[in-house]
Amino acid sequence: KQEVTQIPAALSVPEGENLVLNCSFTDSAIYNLQWFRQDPGKGLTSLLLIQSSQREQTSGRLNASLDKSSGRSTLYIAASQPGDSATYLCAVRGAGSYQLTFGKGTKLSVIP
Amino acid sequence: NAGVTQTPKFQVLKTGQSMTLQCAQDMNHEYMSWYRQDPGMGLRLIHYSVGAGITDQGEVPNGYNVSRSTTEDFPLRLLSAAPSQTSVYFCASSLTGEGNQPQHFGDGTRLSIL
């Protein structure tokens, strides 16, 4: 059974810092990996999707990498802003499966 | 620009009552799914549908029913509510269940069972 772990569970940084969020998964037979953002009381917003054949994806200040063989992904946020404060979730879709398996998330606080 | 719409946003039920959580999308997405989010558990898949008339079970289907009579709607029914079903429920959709399309989520229904 696929398991997804996100470390740390919570992170507090001063505004302007670059930061890295980590995601690891136990079964490397994945179809893709997605990073989501969740604001309090809201649904999930898809940030980046990395196909299993890709190594990284970029969108603005966000860069996500994927090392499928080692079961790891990172989300890099450059020049963090208070508006980046949210919970970030990592989810993997297994090969041949419709199901997304989610990590428990990293709660990020960016202090002005 | 509605995206995925879930109703109601909040609901309180008594044990044993039944209810239907509504989910509608206006993006002509074939794939729709229901997740529940519990503290310390992450999101878990309840049921999913790859198109009208086709549904299947996810990781935690017990106590829930679904049907998909139209492309737009995918209601989730609680047959006899139990306190263990207190949770936040999210509906999601994507263009198809296959391929590499991102999932679009609704804002959730917060359900409390007393």
Side-chain angles (χ1 to χ4, degrees):
Chain A
K1 179 184 173 183
Q2 178 76 268
E3 293 183 0
V4 178
T5 302
Q6 291 186 246
I7 295 174
L11 180 64
S12 183
V13 300
E15 181 177 2
E17 270 203 7
N18 303 325
L19 60 100
V20 174
L21 306 181
N22 297 293
C23 172
S24 62
F25 46 95
T26 56
D27 186 349
S28 61
I30 67 169
Y31 195 79
N32 61 43
L33 182 145
Q34 294 183 62
W35 282 94
F36 293 88
R37 169 185 174 137
Q38 185 175 26
D39 293 289
K42 294 293 187 180
L44 283 67
T45 301
S46 180
L47 298 173
L48 290 165
L49 183 151
I50 310 177
Q51 301 177 33
S52 62
S53 59
Q54 297 175 326
R55 297 285 294 185
E56 64 177 338
Q57 282 284 342
T58 297
S59 176
R61 294 183 294 108
L62 305 179
N63 176 276
S65 68
L66 174 65
D67 184 341
K68 196 173 68 167
S69 61
S70 68
R72 294 183 180 181
S73 176
T74 61
L75 179 67
Y76 174 83
I77 302 177
S80 58
Q81 303 171 359
D84 295 330
S85 298
T87 297
Y88 291 81
L89 296 162
C90 165
V92 298
R93 180 182 159 197
S97 170
Y98 292 107
Q99 178 170 335
L100 291 180
T101 302
F102 282 83
K104 297 177 183 178
T106 294
K107 185 175 182 180
L108 173 65
S109 298
V110 181
I111 312 301
Chain B
N1 265 4
V4 179
T5 302
Q6 292 185 236
T7 56
K9 295 189 183 302
F10 303 92
Q11 185 69 50
V12 178
L13 292 178
K14 295 181 179 179
T15 298
Q17 287 185 318
S18 63
M19 81 160 292
T20 300
L21 280 62
Q22 301 292 343
C23 175
Q25 53 87 12
D26 62 356
M27 298 173 283
N28 203 30
H29 284 176
E30 291 293 327
Y31 182 81
M32 297 185 73
S33 57
W34 278 101
Y35 289 85
R36 60 179 290 174
Q37 185 176 36
D38 301 293
M41 296 289 291
L43 280 85
R44 292 178 292 168
L45 181 65
I46 305 171
H47 285 285
Y48 66 92
S49 169
V50 299
I54 306 170
T55 63
D56 207 344
Q57 296 181 351
E59 182 183 354
V60 288
N62 293 341
Y64 307 96
N65 262 2
V66 292
S67 60
R68 184 98 179 268
S69 56
T70 67
T71 299
E72 294 77 22
D73 300 298
F74 190 43
L76 178 72
R77 282 182 286 276
L78 278 70
L79 309 173
S80 178
S84 61
Q85 293 179 304
T86 293
S87 187
V88 182
Y89 291 84
F90 288 101
C91 179
S93 73
S94 62
L95 188 59
T96 72
E98 304 168 353
N100 288 293
Q101 296 105 21
Q103 299 267 334
H104 298 259
F105 280 77
D107 283 344
T109 294
R110 284 144 188 85
L111 182 63
S112 293
I113 314 295
L114 304 178

